[in-house]
Amino acid sequence: MQRGLAKGDRVIIALPNCPEFIYSYLGAARAGGIAVPLNLLHTPRELAFIIKDSGAKFLITNQFIGQQIKQLPNLDLTVTILDENSIKEILSSPPAAFPEVKSEDTCTFLYTSGTTGQPKAVMLSHDNLIGNVISMDEAAKFGRDENFLVVLPMFHSFGWSTSVLLPLYIGCTATIIDTFRPKELLQILSKERITIFCGVPSMFTVLLKTRRQTTFPTLKYAISGGDSISEEHMLAFEKLFNFPVIEGYGLSEASPVVCLNPLYGVRKIKSIGVPLPGVEVKVADDDDRELPSGEIGELLVKGPNVMKGYYNREEETRSALKGGWLHTGDLAYRDQDGYFYIVGRKKELIITSGFNVYPKEVEEVLTAHPTVAEAAVIGVPHPVKGESIKAFIVPEEGRTPDKQELLRFLKGHLAGYKIPETFVISSELPRGATGKILKRMLK
């Protein structure tokens, strides 16, 4: 407050995983400001866009990151560089008089990855974040003896809500590491009495490649989100490390967690589980009519965790929240037991010769082949079929996929129209901050 922050002012937080990130975020929120965490993996152009688009007036960062941000053009920010001296100054300052902050006030802007066009700021209220944390706790019944490993980026909704806000709400321990280093992470899981590890599929895949059969005496389970994990990799991971991986589903617009496989009930592999308490989920057709079990449609969400809207994007907000339901853009179906399954993105649906092809189905078959570590499937324009299928493949270490062998394998598992016409072998796939494959870059 001493630096002139008024209620509703946006505060850019550009820090790696560290306690100071938490203090800055919660301090800005308590003072009535709106926290805007920066994805540190963004390019200078992307960072400049977010700073300008958010209308931020303040920046909290460290010396190294601050030097890079200061080089961006046309910035007008009040900058706080967190170092030993500035922290001492802040701690010695007299307590500030805080404004009234209402639960429905906007707490944070979370910028989406911008799969189409420029990134959009998801506006989440205090109610949204608190409601999601309470729902997660009700679903899982965590205890005060838990120790969450914080390895996901704090600037991302999944890492922030599940690994920071949740343990803060419960009143348990959080062990912070600044970035994902596989060997170090395995050591910490083994020796620091970690009970819960939230990660993304790419982390589990990399850990699997270490082939280190380490014991984890206190670890109860890992929670995987942000993208789907192949059944083959999940089973291999659990066999090697001897603890379960629980899959869930969420998106920034829902604060972010929507569904989770029961931690102490029936877990269905390849399913995202069941809705959190207080959250409604349905699968609907293009007219928002709910579809019966087994039929594929768009996943719609309603609940206290659903965003207020997109900042300065009224038309896109109306479209996303049409009829009072959050339209996720994800295609899914529900089974007879009420478990949901994601089959792909609505905008990634491939239509070839009039047939619908869901990339995820093809990717799962490809990664089941012993020479394929990872796969990403997209549609590309075709003069006759409308679209043809193109597969990008990362080989297993020391293996070389053979196209004819892959085609024979795929023909045994997929209808002919679902089989890729083109294969591209690559050393890696482009990924976002949480490891999700960026198909727009492949296109």
Side-chain angles (χ1 to χ4, degrees), residues 49-340:
F49 172 83
I50 289 171
I51 293 170
K52 182 179 179 181
D53 182 75
S54 68
K57 294 182 178 180
F58 298 88
L59 167 66
I60 302 175
T61 187
N62 61 25
Q63 189 69 44
F64 176 72
I65 299 171
Q67 289 297 329
Q68 299 178 63
I69 292 179
K70 285 179 181 178
Q71 295 176 21
L72 299 176
N74 304 318
L75 290 187
D76 183 18
L77 296 168
T78 298
V79 180
T80 298
I81 300 292
L82 292 182
D83 55 25
E84 187 176 347
N85 292 330
S86 65
I87 292 172
K88 283 182 179 179
E89 179 188 343
I90 293 168
L91 292 175
S92 63
S93 300
F98 293 116
E100 180 187 6
V101 178
K102 298 179 180 179
S103 60
E104 64 269 23
D105 289 343
T106 302
C107 175
T108 187
F109 284 0
L110 294 180
Y111 275 83
T112 64
S113 57
T115 52
T116 57
Q118 295 283 15
K120 302 184 291 288
V122 174
M123 298 187 293
L124 298 179
S125 68
H126 298 270
D127 271 342
N128 290 151
L129 294 168
I130 293 168
N132 199 227
V133 165
I134 291 172
S135 293
M136 283 189 277
D137 187 42
E138 288 180 1
K141 306 297 182 188
F142 297 108
R144 290 179 65 91
D145 60 341
E146 308 292 1
N147 185 356
F148 285 72
L149 180 64
V150 188
V151 61
L152 290 167
M154 290 183 184
F155 59 70
H156 192 272
S157 59
F158 182 30
W160 179 249
S161 290
T162 63
S163 302
V164 179
L165 290 185
L166 182 57
L168 285 175
Y169 172 76
I170 298 166
C172 64
T173 303
T175 299
I176 301 170
I177 57 178
D178 61 352
T179 192
F180 174 61
R181 290 179 288 270
K183 292 180 181 179
E184 179 187 358
L185 184 127
L186 289 175
Q187 188 176 27
I188 290 172
L189 288 175
S190 180
K191 295 182 178 180
E192 295 295 332
R193 302 191 62 79
I194 305 295
T195 62
I196 298 162
F197 158 41
C198 297
V200 292
S202 59
M203 289 182 178
F204 299 111
T205 300
V206 171
L207 291 174
L208 182 61
K209 289 180 179 179
T210 66
R211 307 295 182 191
R212 295 181 62 178
Q213 202 154 11
T214 312
T215 58
F216 309 101
T218 59
L219 191 60
K220 297 177 181 178
Y221 44 77
I223 297 175
S224 177
D227 204 352
S228 61
I229 183 170
S230 73
E231 181 177 2
E232 183 189 29
H233 283 176
M234 181 186 289
L235 295 175
F237 183 92
E238 292 183 358
K239 182 179 180 181
L240 179 66
F241 294 117
N242 196 33
F243 63 86
V245 179
I246 310 294
E247 279 201 280
Y249 165 83
L251 65 166
S252 296
E253 289 87 341
S255 305
V257 184
V258 172
C259 289
L260 187 67
N261 266 276
L263 303 186
Y264 302 106
V266 176
R267 177 178 61 125
K268 295 192 178 186
I269 291 178
K270 296 177 70 174
S271 166
I272 59 172
V274 297
L276 294 182
V279 178
E280 297 179 64
V281 178
K282 69 178 181 180
V283 176
D285 63 16
D286 289 340
D287 296 316
D288 289 356
R289 292 182 296 237
E290 187 167 10
L291 296 171
S293 299
E295 290 197 26
I296 294 172
E298 185 175 5
L299 196 74
L300 307 187
V301 179
K302 181 188 286 186
N305 56 327
V306 171
M307 68 172 180
K308 298 174 68 174
Y310 298 114
Y311 177 63
N312 275 348
R313 285 169 171 77
E314 293 182 8
E315 185 176 336
E316 288 168 280
T317 296
R318 281 194 297 271
S319 176
L321 300 179
K322 184 176 59 173
W325 289 82
L326 171 63
H327 291 61
T328 67
D330 286 312
L331 294 169
Y333 68 91
R334 184 188 71 252
D335 70 14
Q336 295 288 349
D337 299 322
Y339 284 66
F340 289 84

